[in-house]
């Protein structure tokens, strides 16, 4: 598989004297991968997501997505880059409250100036896949947390981004809603070939991915591959790995 | 940390946020203090009000003013409290007792109050001086400025006591709010309005219909005597129209606008665009949750615009009409021998002879016959038909010659009119109208036969004019005939009157001269003076206008600031939304565009409604209540246009400031 994203010696220092939040991080993500980022709170996961997604700029190092060096982007071209290539899911659902679910999912498509007919069709078919077709005319306030998070996942995926960034998307969900969302992401990755980079500190959520990078103090300290096809086995090995790391503290 | 230093720290941290609050409160204090100083300024009041009229008006306005200050300060207090609630909730979570949070809030309010008071008192004193200066210049008053103190201490005390009183009441209401609201509600105090809503088609349509009917009723006044305004009566119809428009405006804003916006979503081509998909739902949401504020602002701005436009019109109209009522700087009728030379002698004491022109016009009155004679021919011949004179006048045309007409106009420096004249033939005349005919007809082309001793002279009306060269006090039914015809009339008719018109820069705006002239002529009612008339009107109405001006300024500050705070609060409440949009790939440019559109919509609703209401009200006022001396010239609407333009620019400044504050709020995130 060709490389979609490459980070090389990426460092981020917020305060000059302080410890770097990211310390010479290098890795690659291939097209179609579902990758998990794990680590304790404060280990630099959100910081990584922010610099990868052009929302923040690294202090040093280079990042390429689709062979574009993010350094070469200014404010406006970064916005266009996000519009054309990136999708986001956050821990809080971050839907626009005054828009219906349909309108919320449609926003990224209007930004790409697609014709209305096409927008409506894309929104409907994705909503069906995500199990929220009957909620399209409702407002976010009328939905459950799980439905809202699936709506925001739909909003992120609908424009077929090159890569989808998810920052603890299950963090605010109960376990069954979390499972539904993870299944949806898993299927989107499998069937639509959406590349996903998901931050989580939950071993269960991480077990839906194919590869896991474990962060500590701004560095990747471990990589775990999903060897087989059995999610349960992968879960066990992640859990074991985390316990090992914890006891090493 | 004690609360005072915590309050100071808070103020420093959120400087721009509080600067605004201080500025807006001090603005209100400025107006209040300037007004209080003015109403306690006896030096001034003695000059502009002899009969206590201004004093009683001041009292009435001060009631308004007090109500306004209380309303405004509690509105902004609520606004700022709302913005602070979450933070206060977090203090509570951290274990601060509600008492200490309250004392933090009160300390903040006291610091803000003191800053605003100091600023307001200083700028209020400056504003008061400015008003005094403006009035003195405008009314030509002789006032010893040194006698008027910069700070009137009674006014200062009054203002301080009043403002502290308001702050105290606000502190009480904040305390009530704080103790009544649970901890959880404080932390979660965010936008809580219903997102999903019903759209009422019937009230939407009703709103639309009521407004159209209201405006239709206003336009009905153009039907003249047949209209409801005359058949039913001006005041009942006016009340009806106002009620229809107010009710219509309420429904239009509360129902029609959200309904129309909801319907506009159906037009997919325009709705599914990067801007509309955000702004239209946001508009629906905001107009639903802010309908009350918006309706109030709309009515307030309609009232402000209407009052200022009508005020400008009714001050400007009589002054513009002076050109007809007293066209010459000084004009009198020779009633006794020697008056002309006496007048010349008097004027020469004030101005060099070469700067003054004297024109004596001999008027000959002739009777005429025709199918239909104009109203001016017989005006004043029976009791009560003339406007304000009860002197009987004999019917007839009062003839002057064309060359006299031209030289009078030139002396009055109305050269633009002279330029448009062409020489009169011997069978032609120009008829001076008292006012345009109500039905819009015109005597041009009519033939009047003037009866002179040896027969009659038929004259065709070449044109009618509103540019009378001689005041109505001295001549009505003036007819301008060619020089030859004039000579013919003169040879066989008894002289009616000799009028002396005195003009020239040297004698302009000289009240002393006018007084002396009046003495010289034994207080003759036929003495008319242009500047004198203007000054009379100015001093009779200026105090009224000054005070209404106060109210208008107040209304402006109110509308502008409320719009400002409302927009800022809406935008900062949905700060997260803009963050999301930015992450999705909306560039700052696009976000700015969205912000501008959202804010513009909210500014334009009260402004446009106010403008339309003002236009209709001005039309009704002008058509129904004002004398029509000047005809329908565009110049008449100048003051209205200026009033509207001023309003527009004030709105624009507020809009501009609001947009920039919102940019800062959203894009610095
Ligand atoms: N805006 C910021 N300013 C200063 N320090 C920050 C900022 N954002 C994050 N940090 C620091 O960077 C480190 C990593 O934070 P973050 O990436 O949010 O961790 P995680 O998401 O893994 O919990 C933390 O020590 C945090 O204090
Ligand atoms: Mg994080």
């Amino acid at each position: 598989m060709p490389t979609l994203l490459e980070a090389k010696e990426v460092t981020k220092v917020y305060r000059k004297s302080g410890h770097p939040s990211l310390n010479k991080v290098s890795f690659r993500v291939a097209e179609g991968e579902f990758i998990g980022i794990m680590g304790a709170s404060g280990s630099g996961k959100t910081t990584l997501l922010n610099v990868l997604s052009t929302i923040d700029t690294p202090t040093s190092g280079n990042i390429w997505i689709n062979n574009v060096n993010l350094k070469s982007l200014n404010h406006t071209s970064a916005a266009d880059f996000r519009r054309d290539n990136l999708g986001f899911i956050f821990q809080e659902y971050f839907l626009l409250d005054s828009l219906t679910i349909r309108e919320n999912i449609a926003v990224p498509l209007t930004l790409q100036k697609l014709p209305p007919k096409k927008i409506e069709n894309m929104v409907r078919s994705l909503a069906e896949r995500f199990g929220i077709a009957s909620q399209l005319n409702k407002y976010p306030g009328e939905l459950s947390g799980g439905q809202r998070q699936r709506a925001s996942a739909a909003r992120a995926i609908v424009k077929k981004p090159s890569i989808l960034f998810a920052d603890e998307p299950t963090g605010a969900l109960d376990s069954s809603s979390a499972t539904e969302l993870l299944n949806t992401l898993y299927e989107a990755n499998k069937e639509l070939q959406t590349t996903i980079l998901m931050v989580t500190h939950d071993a269960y959520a991480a077990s839906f991915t194919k590869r896991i990078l474990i962060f500590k103090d701004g560095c990747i300290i471990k990589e775990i591959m999903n060897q087989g096809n059995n999610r349960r086995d992968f879960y066990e090995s992640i859990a074991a790995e985390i316990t090992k790391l914890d006891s090493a503290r | 940390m004690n609360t005072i230093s915590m309050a100071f720290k808070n103020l420093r941290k959120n400087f721009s946020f509080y600067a605004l609050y201080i500025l807006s409160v001090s603005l209100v204090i400025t107006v209040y203090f300037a007004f209080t100083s003015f109403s306690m300024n006896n030096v001034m009041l003695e000059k502009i009000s002899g009969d206590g009229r201004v004093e009683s008006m001041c009292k009435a306005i001060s009631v308004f003013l007090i109500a306004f200050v209380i309303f405004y300060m509690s509105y902004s207090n609520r606004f700022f409290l709302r913005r602070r609630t979450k933070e206060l909730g977090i203090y509570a979570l951290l274990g601060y007792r509600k008492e200490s949070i309250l004392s933090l809030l009160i300390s903040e309010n006291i610091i803000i109050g003191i800053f605003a008071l100091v600023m307001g008192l200083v700028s209020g004193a400056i504003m008061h001086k400015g008003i005094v200066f403006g009035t003195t210049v405008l009314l030509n008053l002789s006032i010893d400025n040194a006698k008027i103190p910069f700070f009137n201490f009674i006014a200062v005390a009054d203002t301080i006591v009043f403002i502290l009183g308001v702050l105290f009441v606000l502190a009480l209401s904040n305390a009530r709010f704080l103790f009544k609201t649970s901890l959880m509600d404080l932390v979660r105090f965010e936008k809580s309005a219903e997102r999903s809503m019903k759209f009422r088609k019937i009230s939407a349509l009703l709103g639309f219909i009521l407004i159209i009917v209201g405006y239709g009723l206003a336009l009905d006044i153009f039907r003249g005597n047949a209209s409801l305004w005359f058949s039913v009566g001006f005041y009942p119809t006016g009340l009806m129209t106002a009620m229809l428009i107010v009710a219509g405006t309420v429904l239009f804003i509360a129902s029609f606008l959200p309904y129309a916006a909801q319907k506009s979503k159906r037009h997919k081509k325009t709705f599914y665009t990067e801007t509309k998909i955000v702004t239209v739902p946001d508009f629906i949401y905001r107009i639903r949750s802010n309908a009350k504020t918006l309706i109030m602002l709309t009515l307030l701005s309609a009232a402000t615009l209407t009052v200022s436009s009508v005020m400008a019109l009714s001050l400007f109209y009589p002054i513009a009409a002076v050109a007809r009522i007293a066209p010459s700087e000084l004009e009198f009728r020779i009633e006794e021998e020697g008056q002309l030379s006496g007048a010349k002698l008097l004027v020469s004491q004030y101005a060099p002879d070469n700067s003054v022109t004297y024109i004596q016009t001999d008027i000959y009155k002739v009777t005429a016959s025709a199918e239909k004679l104009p109203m001016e021919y017989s005006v004043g011949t029976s009791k009560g038909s003339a406007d304000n004179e009860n002197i009987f006048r004999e019917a007839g045309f009062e003839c002057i010659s064309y060359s006299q007409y031209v030289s009078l106009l030139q002396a009055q420096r109305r050269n633009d009119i002279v330029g448009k004249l062409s020489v009169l033939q011997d069978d032609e005349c120009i008829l001076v109208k008292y006012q345009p005919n109500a039905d819009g007809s015109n005597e041009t082309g009519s033939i009047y036969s003037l009866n002179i001793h040896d027969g009659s002279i038929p004259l065709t009306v070449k044109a009618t004019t509103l540019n009378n060269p001689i005041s109505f006090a001295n001549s009505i039914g003036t007819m301008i005939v060619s020089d030859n015809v004039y000579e013919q009339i003169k040879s066989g008719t008894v002289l009616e009157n000799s009028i002396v018109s005195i003009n020239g820069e040297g004698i302009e705006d000289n009240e002393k001269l006018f007084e002396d002239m009046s003495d010289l002529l034994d207080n003759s009612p036929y003495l008319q003076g242009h500047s004198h008339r203007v000054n009379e009107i100015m001093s009779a109405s200026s105090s009224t206008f000054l005070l209404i001006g106060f109210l208008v300024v107040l209304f402006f500050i109110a509308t502008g600031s409320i719009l400002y705070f409302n927009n800022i609060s809406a935008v900062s409440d949905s700060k997260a939304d803009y963050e999301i949009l930015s992450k999705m790939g909306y560039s700052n440019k696009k976000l700015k565009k969205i912000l501008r559109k959202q804010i513009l919509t909210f500014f334009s609703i009260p402004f446009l409604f106010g403008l339309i209401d003002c236009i209709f009200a001005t039309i009704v006022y002008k058509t129904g209540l004002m004398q029509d001396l000047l005809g329908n010239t565009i110049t008449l609407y100048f003051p209205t246009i200026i009033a509207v333009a001023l309003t527009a620019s004030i709105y624009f400044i507020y809009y501009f400031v609001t947009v920039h504050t919102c940019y800062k709020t959203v894009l610095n995130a």
Side-chain angles (χ1 to χ4, degrees):
Chain A
M1 275 285 184
T3 303
L4 176 73
L5 178 153
E6 179 172 5
K8 215 168 186 178
E9 310 245 298
V10 174
T11 300
K12 177 74 190 179
V13 186
Y14 281 110
R15 274 179 235 87
K16 269 213 176 97
S17 53
H19 192 80
S21 299
L22 288 177
N23 196 356
K24 297 194 176 163
V25 173
S26 301
F27 65 99
R28 285 163 186 256
V29 179
E31 258 175 42
E33 258 196 296
F34 189 172
I35 203 166
I37 309 277
M38 292 188 75
S41 181
S43 57
K45 305 182 296 289
T46 299
T47 308
L48 176 72
L49 229 55
N50 284 345
V51 297
L52 292 182
S53 60
T54 75
I55 289 165
D56 208 345
T57 47
T59 316
S60 67
N62 286 296
I63 300 162
W64 291 267
I65 295 178
N66 275 342
N67 295 322
V68 175
N69 190 336
L70 300 190
K71 257 189 191 161
S72 68
L73 301 173
N74 63 23
H75 212 89
T76 315
S77 53
D80 289 348
F81 185 80
R82 289 198 293 277
R83 175 192 68 198
D84 297 333
N85 299 285
L86 312 183
F88 292 94
I89 311 176
F90 311 94
Q91 178 171 355
E92 297 89 25
Y93 328 108
F94 277 145
L95 292 165
L96 303 177
D97 286 339
S98 47
L99 275 63
T100 60
I101 300 300
R102 182 197 310 281
E103 290 157 6
N104 261 293
I105 302 175
V107 171
L109 300 177
T110 62
L111 199 53
Q112 292 180 339
K113 300 197 165 45
L114 296 181
K117 263 256 148 53
K118 195 166 175 197
I119 293 180
E120 292 216 312
N121 289 337
M122 287 169 81
V123 170
R124 191 168 315 108
S125 67
L126 201 66
E128 272 157 18
R129 176 186 286 273
F130 281 33
I132 46 171
S134 58
Q135 318 292 331
L136 281 178
N137 287 326
K138 292 189 179 162
Y139 288 88
E142 300 170 288
L143 266 54
S144 74
Q147 287 170 325
R148 275 185 259 181
Q149 194 60 299
R150 269 177 282 148
S152 60
R155 182 181 66 187
I157 289 173
V158 72
K159 63 177 184 185
K160 304 201 169 67
S162 309
I163 184 163
L164 174 69
F165 294 110
D167 194 352
E168 311 209 14
T170 58
L173 298 183
D174 62 80
S175 66
S176 73
S177 302
T179 308
E180 273 181 56
L181 178 77
L182 289 166
N183 273 324
T184 321
L185 291 179
Y186 180 80
E187 278 164 26
N189 169 254
K190 213 162 104 182
E191 288 162 28
L192 307 172
Q193 276 77 48
T194 313
T195 311
I196 303 177
L197 198 147
M198 178 174 77
V199 166
T200 181
H201 55 227
D202 173 23
Y204 174 71
S207 69
F208 283 78
T209 65
K210 289 179 186 155
R211 181 161 68 109
I212 292 167
L213 302 175
I214 297 181
F215 268 71
K216 192 180 177 201
D217 299 333
C219 300
I220 301 175
I221 51 160
K222 180 95 196 164
E223 181 175 346
I224 315 174
M225 300 294 288
N226 187 348
Q227 303 294 355
N229 286 329
N230 189 331
R231 200 186 53 71
R232 279 217 72 83
D233 292 349
F234 191 37
Y235 172 70
E236 309 265 286
S237 61
I238 300 165
E241 200 61 54
I242 288 177
T243 322
K244 212 159 69 189
L245 286 170
D246 266 355
S247 55
R249 258 203 285 219
Chain B
M1 194 166 22
N2 76 28
T3 45
I4 296 280
S5 70
M6 200 158 131
F8 258 113
K9 235 183 119 182
N10 247 323
L11 292 181
R12 255 209 319 270
K13 207 171 63 201
N14 297 310
F15 179 74
S16 62
F17 177 67
Y18 287 103
L20 254 162
Y21 188 23
I22 294 179
L23 213 66
S24 70
V25 172
S26 75
L27 208 61
V28 176
I29 297 175
T30 302
V31 177
Y32 183 81
F33 180 60
F35 183 81
T36 313
S37 303
F38 185 82
S39 62
M40 290 179 180
N41 182 342
N42 294 325
V43 184
M44 199 67 204
L45 289 184
E46 262 167 35
K47 289 275 178 186
I48 60 171
S49 153
D51 49 5
R53 194 168 41 92
V54 177
E55 283 86 341
S56 54
M57 205 140 58
C58 277
K59 286 221 180 70
I61 287 184
S62 71
V63 173
F64 259 105
L65 194 58
I66 287 171
F68 167 73
V69 172
I70 293 172
F71 162 78
Y72 183 88
M73 287 192 47
S74 55
Y75 180 88
S76 44
N77 173 66
R78 225 189 38 204
F79 169 80
F80 281 88
L81 186 63
R82 216 176 104 74
R83 293 270 315 256
R84 296 291 314 282
T85 309
K86 192 172 182 175
E87 186 188 330
L88 296 180
I90 291 169
Y91 285 138
L93 279 181
L94 291 176
Y96 279 83
R97 298 222 318 264
K98 280 190 171 177
E99 286 82 3
S100 34
I101 295 175
L102 182 63
S103 76
L104 168 74
L105 214 54
I106 292 175
S107 323
E108 264 180 32
N109 264 341
I110 290 175
I111 298 168
I112 287 171
I114 290 171
F115 267 106
L117 254 175
V118 171
M119 278 168 64
L121 288 179
V122 171
S123 52
I126 294 171
M127 186 173 167
H128 172 231
K129 278 274 172 189
I131 291 169
V132 169
F133 177 76
T135 328
T136 327
V137 171
L138 206 68
L139 301 184
N140 238 333
L141 302 175
S142 52
I143 276 186
D144 184 7
N145 243 317
K147 268 206 207 148
I148 300 171
F150 189 69
F151 285 115
N152 178 332
F153 284 102
I154 304 174
V156 171
D158 176 300
T159 308
I160 289 179
V161 167
F162 174 59
I163 298 297
L164 289 185
V166 174
L167 283 178
F168 179 72
V169 173
L170 290 181
L172 284 186
S173 92
N174 289 350
R176 227 189 102 218
F177 169 81
L178 211 59
F179 285 103
K180 264 182 63 182
T181 315
S182 74
L183 192 65
M184 221 44 234
D185 286 343
L186 279 182
V187 184
R188 288 219 184 117
F189 195 82
E190 301 266 291
K191 36 184 179 179
S192 49
E194 271 293 310
R195 291 290 173 177
S196 130
M197 41 215 155
K198 287 197 193 78
F199 293 92
R200 290 186 204 83
K201 195 172 181 172
I202 294 178
S203 57
L205 284 176
L206 192 64
F208 191 73
I209 292 167
L210 286 182
I211 286 206
I212 297 295
V213 172
Y215 288 151
L217 205 55
L219 287 182
D220 186 48
I221 202 164
F222 281 133
R223 284 199 300 142
N225 290 333
S227 75
L228 286 177
W229 295 83
F230 290 92
S231 56
V232 177
F234 190 87
Y235 288 100
T237 314
L239 196 66
M240 186 70 203
T241 312
M243 272 169 18
L244 280 173
I245 290 179
V246 169
T249 306
V250 171
L251 288 180
F252 193 91
I253 292 175
S255 292
F256 182 80
L257 284 179
Y259 179 77
Q262 180 69 14
K263 283 277 167 267
S264 82
K265 282 186 180 178
R266 290 218 185 139
H267 195 267
K268 305 247 158 64
K269 256 223 158 67
T270 47
F271 179 59
Y272 279 115
T273 54
E274 59 194 22
T275 316
K276 285 262 165 54
I277 201 167
V278 179
T279 53
V280 172
D282 179 80
F283 172 72
I284 295 172
Y285 168 67
R286 277 189 66 193
I287 203 165
R288 294 299 288 246
S289 51
N290 289 299
K292 262 191 233 142
T293 314
L294 208 57
I295 288 168
M296 194 193 67
L297 287 180
T298 304
L299 297 178
L300 197 65
S301 88
T304 315
L305 263 166
T306 305
V307 166
S308 50
S309 144
V310 165
M311 180 178 85
L313 192 61
S314 51
L315 176 64
F316 180 73
Y317 191 88
I319 288 178
V322 169
R324 301 208 63 209
I325 287 168
S328 282
E329 188 51 35
L330 289 172
E331 177 193 296
F332 63 92
R333 189 182 281 189
I334 300 181
E335 291 165 292
E336 284 167 35
E337 293 260 335
Q339 281 182 330
L340 177 57
S341 48
K344 282 190 179 173
L345 194 66
L346 177 63
V347 170
S348 68
Q349 294 169 12
Y350 287 92
D353 281 343
N354 57 8
S355 71
V356 183
T357 60
Y358 300 86
I359 296 173
Q360 183 176 337
T361 315
D362 293 337
I363 298 178
Y364 293 90
K365 182 175 278 180
V366 289
T367 56
S369 44
E371 239 170 76
K372 184 174 175 280
L373 285 159
M375 158 266 194
E376 282 78 10
Y377 178 81
S378 52
V379 78
T381 51
S382 59
K383 224 180 170 66
S385 67
D387 259 7
N388 41 24
E389 319 221 355
N390 35 24
I391 309 161
F392 279 96
R393 174 181 174 269
E394 271 176 45
F397 286 123
E398 306 188 351
C399 298
I400 64 170
S401 77
Y402 179 75
S403 33
Q404 278 170 332
Y405 181 48
V406 171
S407 38
L408 276 168
L409 289 178
Q410 277 165 346
Q412 292 156 1
R413 278 181 288 161
R414 296 153 92 181
N415 293 319
D416 50 328
I417 302 168
V418 177
K420 285 183 203 133
L421 291 174
S422 57
V423 178
L424 276 183
Q425 300 302 315
D426 287 349
D427 59 351
E428 291 173 341
C429 67
I430 298 173
L431 176 67
V432 175
K433 296 290 294 173
Y434 180 66
Q435 55 184 28
N437 294 337
D439 54 5
S441 67
N442 192 302
E443 286 81 1
T444 307
S446 303
I447 298 172
Y448 304 129
S449 290
L450 302 189
N451 305 319
I452 55 171
H453 63 110
D454 53 353
S456 74
I457 313 170
L459 294 180
T460 308
V461 178
K462 187 187 177 191
T464 61
T465 181
L466 292 175
N467 300 313
N468 49 307
I470 293 171
S471 74
F472 295 124
N474 287 317
S475 174
I476 292 182
T478 316
M479 177 177 273
I480 297 140
V481 298
S482 74
D483 293 4
N484 291 335
V485 173
Y486 183 76
E487 288 302 322
Q488 223 176 320
I489 293 170
K490 190 176 168 182
S491 65
T493 314
V494 190
L495 178 67
E496 172 83 6
N497 285 315
S498 278
I499 310 298
V500 175
S501 303
I502 311 174
N503 285 288
E505 272 177 66
I507 56 165
E508 265 167 31
D509 199 12
N510 193 331
E511 279 299 311
K512 187 82 183 42
L513 171 60
F514 186 89
E515 266 170 46
D516 290 350
M517 189 66 82
S518 186
D519 288 345
L520 181 78
L521 301 174
D522 294 328
N523 297 320
S524 159
Y526 300 112
L527 172 66
Q528 295 290 323
H530 186 94
S531 305
H532 174 70
R533 203 56 185 251
V534 172
N535 288 339
E536 241 177 22
I537 294 169
M538 292 291 267
S539 59
S541 36
S542 57
S543 47
T544 313
F545 290 117
L546 208 65
L547 295 176
I548 294 179
F550 251 128
L551 271 187
V552 167
V553 168
L554 217 62
F555 281 8
F556 271 142
I557 295 178
T559 354
S561 313
I562 292 172
L563 272 173
Y564 176 86
F565 289 133
N566 200 286
N567 277 288
I568 304 280
S569 116
V571 166
S572 47
D573 274 354
S574 42
K575 211 166 144 177
D577 287 3
Y578 298 97
E579 240 168 85
I580 304 253
L581 291 176
S582 163
K583 284 187 179 165
M584 268 188 216
Y586 278 81
S587 61
N588 280 358
K589 211 172 120 196
K590 282 176 190 151
L591 289 178
K592 282 183 177 177
K593 188 174 160 193
I594 289 178
L595 276 171
R596 274 200 307 275
K597 284 208 165 174
Q598 287 172 328
I599 298 167
L600 186 65
T601 329
F602 262 71
F603 270 78
S604 39
I605 291 171
F607 178 68
L608 290 182
F609 255 109
L611 187 65
I612 296 170
D613 287 355
C614 150
I615 289 171
F616 281 99
T618 311
I619 287 173
V620 167
Y621 178 76
K622 163 81 177 58
T623 322
L625 290 183
M626 288 178 89
Q627 219 192 353
D628 191 12
L629 274 182
L630 298 177
N632 244 331
T633 54
I634 283 290
T635 25
L636 207 56
Y637 291 99
F638 258 3
T640 302
I641 293 167
I642 288 172
V644 169
L646 273 177
T647 313
S649 47
I650 291 172
Y651 265 88
F652 185 76
I653 291 170
Y654 264 110
Y655 165 76
F656 193 75
V657 173
T658 308
V659 164
H660 277 264
T661 317
C662 287
Y663 282 174
K664 262 182 147 179
T665 313
V666 168
L667 301 179
N668 278 4

